[in-house]
Amino acid sequence: MRPYEHGGDIYGNPGVTLDFSVNTNPLGLPDQVGHALVANLDKFARYPDPQCRDLRTEIARHESVAEDWILCGNGAADLIYRLCYAMRPQKALVCAPTFSEYERALEQVGCQVEYHYLKKENLFTLDDKILKRLTPGLDLLFLCHPNNPTGRLISPDLIPKILNRAQENETAVVVDECFLDFAGGETANRYLKERPGLVVLKAFTKIYSLAGLRLGYLLTSSGILRDKVDAAAQCWSVSVPAQIAGLAALSRADWQRQTRRLVVNERNFLTKNLKLLGIRVFPSDANFLLLRFKGQLYEPLLRKGIMIRRCNNFRGLDEHYYRISVKRRPENIQLLKALEEIIHG
């Protein structure tokens, strides 16, 4: 079996009681979701709606887009692979470091992958230098907004520049916005109508803590591309529970605002106190922080029942980098106390 490259492997680490390696919402699952799942248990015996009709109607309202621009999938990762299978790009560009599934999906279809390295000296911020990489012959560009594991948003001034250059060169662009609800940045949705080569990825996984149910969707104004990606999936790829959960989650109109308020406060609290411990903390707009520390942190924390994300398998980072999620104050204090014991004895 292939080695697991992401956070959240509590199954392989049964002693973990506090998981900072995954970036789901510190508020957990909205109450409406749990209630809806319990109330609809009798529907689980049915085949799911393969077109996710009711869910797409609500997503369209939530995103202010047309229903036929939406395609649902078994999480955003499922749609990343389906996009690559459908588009069959010959040459693609990804940033480094970034979410590894872009690279893995591209390699599975035989695509030549090129890398645009984000610099530590620039706080891993994407800047205008990427425009030079958008040349004729490039079929596809993956962007993570905000980026994982750095948490950095793409400047709202840079997004249209990238899209314009890509359109000039007939390069498709996929903007992964799975963490955008935590950051409150500008979505690329506004550019969809005029740019059929643009795809925006979203997920319920992080903001609604539905990682175990697997639910994501893409937005594109290209009916041809949507149909190709749809054809690249098995039928019934979005389960009945996932569709019920998605509908219930979207009923929480205040969820994003409530979440961002908590995340900003706790991110600032963690940043301040981690720096006091001598850990370098890179600025983040998301619900997680990228750290750098010369000493060992992962194994010592694991022995205390706390798991963080090692980042040495992110292209462009080494064994001195770690990523932690932002949680509620009691859990954050517990992490800080454990780190203080490890660093200062």
Side-chain angles (χ1 to χ4, degrees):
M1 298 178 69
R2 78 181 194 186
Y4 187 68
E5 295 184 352
H6 305 288
D9 188 18
I10 56 173
Y11 310 100
N13 297 278
V16 170
T17 57
L18 192 53
D19 187 3
F20 275 84
S21 72
V22 292
N23 304 321
T24 52
N25 195 324
L27 292 175
L29 193 75
D31 291 341
Q32 288 81 354
V33 173
H35 297 327
L37 289 170
V38 172
N40 289 279
L41 284 172
D42 59 314
K43 296 179 181 177
F44 293 7
R46 303 176 183 175
Y47 279 100
D49 176 3
Q51 296 182 22
C52 301
R53 294 171 179 87
D54 291 343
L55 181 58
R56 284 172 49 235
T57 297
E58 291 306 310
I59 292 172
R61 290 175 184 167
H62 179 72
E63 297 285 355
S64 299
V65 299
E67 282 186 44
D68 60 1
W69 289 10
I70 302 165
L71 182 65
C72 296
N74 187 238
D78 169 47
L79 293 165
I80 290 168
Y81 281 81
R82 285 161 60 179
L83 275 163
C84 292
Y85 295 150
M87 299 174 75
R88 298 283 168 172
Q90 297 298 303
K91 185 166 74 169
L93 180 66
V94 299
C95 294
T98 198
F99 187 47
S100 62
E101 294 302 315
Y102 310 143
E103 179 181 358
R104 185 183 292 275
L106 290 165
E107 288 177 343
Q108 286 199 9
V109 297
C111 181
Q112 175 188 340
V113 182
E114 297 186 350
Y115 305 96
H116 177 72
Y117 284 90
L118 306 174
K119 302 298 184 181
K120 177 181 66 174
E121 297 74 22
N122 196 31
L123 303 177
F124 298 106
T125 303
L126 188 69
D127 58 25
D128 286 4
K129 291 184 177 65
I130 194 172
L131 298 175
K132 297 178 181 179
R133 305 298 306 275
L134 303 180
T135 56
L138 184 69
D139 300 310
L140 181 60
L141 167 67
F142 271 105
L143 294 173
C144 197
H145 174 57
N147 191 32
N148 178 13
T150 65
R152 302 293 282 165
L153 284 166
I154 303 171
S155 165
D157 296 329
L158 181 56
I159 291 174
K161 293 179 183 178
I162 292 172
L163 295 178
N164 289 340
R165 182 68 60 87
Q167 190 170 43
E168 291 170 4
N169 294 320
E170 299 183 343
T171 301
V173 180
V174 177
V175 181
D176 181 345
E177 297 186 353
C178 288
F179 289 104
L180 189 62
D181 285 325
F182 296 100
E186 182 178 295
T187 177
N189 287 8
R190 60 185 291 192
Y191 303 107
L192 284 165
K193 186 175 181 180
E194 294 78 20
R195 291 173 171 82
L198 171 63
V199 176
V200 176
L201 278 175
K202 307 269 190 170
F204 290 76
T205 305
K206 306 299 191 298
I207 189 66
Y208 296 112
S209 294
L210 296 185
L213 280 173
R214 312 305 306 144
L215 180 60
Y217 56 98
L218 65 75
L219 306 174
T220 177
S221 63
S222 170
I224 294 173
L225 177 57
R226 182 206 59 214
D227 290 347
K228 284 183 177 181
V229 179
D230 189 25
Q234 60 170 327
C235 200
W236 313 299
S237 62
V238 181
S239 70
V240 168
Q243 293 187 40
I244 291 170
L247 284 167
L250 290 173
S251 72
R252 282 296 304 267
D254 64 332
W255 192 249
Q256 282 80 359
R257 183 175 64 254
Q258 183 180 350
T259 297
R260 282 196 291 269
R261 185 165 57 244
L262 172 65
V263 165
V264 169
N265 288 338
E266 293 305 311
R267 189 176 64 213
N268 291 340
F269 172 77
L270 279 170
T271 298
K272 175 184 175 181
N273 286 281
L274 287 165
K275 288 180 177 178
L276 291 175
L277 292 172
I279 298 172
R280 180 169 186 184
V281 184
F282 290 90
S284 170
D285 302 298
N287 60 319
F288 51 88
L289 292 166
L290 181 67
L291 316 178
R292 192 171 193 273
F293 187 71
K294 285 288 188 179
Q296 293 295 316
L297 295 181
Y298 181 82
E299 294 293 344
L301 281 172
L302 203 58
R303 288 193 289 270
K304 293 177 177 289
I306 301 174
M307 185 159 61
I308 63 174
R309 176 70 157 87
R310 287 181 290 195
C311 291
N312 57 319
N313 61 355
F314 280 97
R315 189 178 293 274
L317 300 181
D318 59 28
E319 70 276 11
H320 301 301
Y321 287 90
Y322 304 90
R323 190 195 68 200
I324 62 166
S325 60
V326 175
K327 294 188 177 294
R328 298 193 193 202
R329 184 63 56 92
E331 291 90 346
N332 294 335
I333 289 174
Q334 189 175 340
L335 172 65
L336 290 167
K337 286 181 176 179
L339 286 168
E340 184 176 13
E341 291 172 2
I342 292 165
I343 294 171
H344 297 305

